[in-house]
Amino acid sequence: METDLVGVNIEDDRWQALDIEALAQRACGATLQHLGIDPQYFEISLLACDDTRIADLNAEFRGKPAPTNVLSWPAQDRARPGEHPLPPKSDPSGMPEELGDIAISYDTCAREAVESGKDINDHVTHLLVHGVLHLLGYDHISDQDAAIMERLEGEVLGKLGISDPYRVQDT
């Protein structure tokens, strides 16, 4: 029995109009596939919420009582500063492994998309790719780690037909 990679809990109905479930399956699946990870053996939980909810989560887990666009909680620590994290191992005979949880705020995503002149679907897709990379142990604390993560984001988005958000676009 095949299960969806992403289990989505929609707390803010505005996400319905974007079809957040389809966006999440596509973005998260593409990220894993790009890294050579078979999505069928893994699960991700996504909370599609608003600024009030994500601000509460940000305060509780990061000590920052303000809204943000996306938050991630990896199920396992795979980070290796300065290099690629250890990939998750799949167990084809067992239940899918939980990679972790992601929360994303409609208010902040919509505002950022408008401010940057980006399509909201493309921006949300980027943030979901970003969140999955965090679940896999990537981060952007050091310049070296940020460069690795940003390069991967650009590669995954390119495969999805979305411009690299870190490259200056010619006008």
Side-chain angles (χ1 to χ4, degrees):
M1 180 177 124
E2 189 169 318
T3 60
D4 285 336
L5 168 62
V6 185
V8 181
N9 177 10
I10 300 174
E11 284 189 357
D12 185 320
D13 289 337
R14 294 175 292 175
W15 284 110
Q16 298 283 7
L18 293 182
D19 196 2
I20 187 64
E21 294 184 35
L23 278 177
Q25 300 300 337
R26 182 173 178 247
C28 298
T31 305
L32 294 182
Q33 288 172 339
H34 181 74
L35 296 168
I37 300 167
D38 189 339
Q40 74 175 333
Y41 299 115
F42 299 97
E43 291 180 341
I44 296 168
S45 295
L46 175 66
L47 173 65
C49 60
D50 62 13
D51 268 359
T52 301
R53 178 79 155 121
I54 211 160
D56 290 344
L57 293 168
N58 205 15
E60 181 179 349
F61 292 99
R62 297 179 65 224
K64 298 179 179 185
T68 188
N69 50 23
V70 67
L71 293 170
S72 300
W73 295 269
Q76 293 182 15
D77 182 8
R78 294 182 171 88
R80 297 187 315 172
E83 49 187 308
H84 290 270
L86 297 171
K89 302 252 189 270
S90 59
D91 178 8
S93 64
M95 296 295 292
E97 177 189 338
E98 177 70 32
L99 291 178
D101 302 324
I102 298 172
I104 190 164
S105 171
Y106 185 89
D107 301 300
T108 298
C109 290
R111 183 176 61 255
E112 289 174 345
V114 168
E115 289 170 356
S116 63
K118 294 179 182 170
D119 176 85
I120 189 166
N121 290 319
D122 291 353
H123 187 55
V124 169
T125 299
H126 172 215
L127 293 172
L128 291 168
V129 169
H130 185 88
V132 172
L133 290 173
H134 276 309
L135 295 184
L136 295 171
Y138 291 91
D139 69 43
H140 41 81
I141 296 170
S142 74
D143 289 345
Q144 183 178 9
D145 289 334
I148 291 170
M149 190 169 177
E150 289 173 8
R151 179 182 51 77
L152 287 171
E153 289 174 33
E155 290 170 359
V156 172
L157 292 171
K159 286 182 176 182
L160 295 172
I162 298 171
S163 298
D164 184 337
Y166 300 108
R167 294 188 62 197
V168 176
Q169 305 299 316
D170 294 329
T171 55

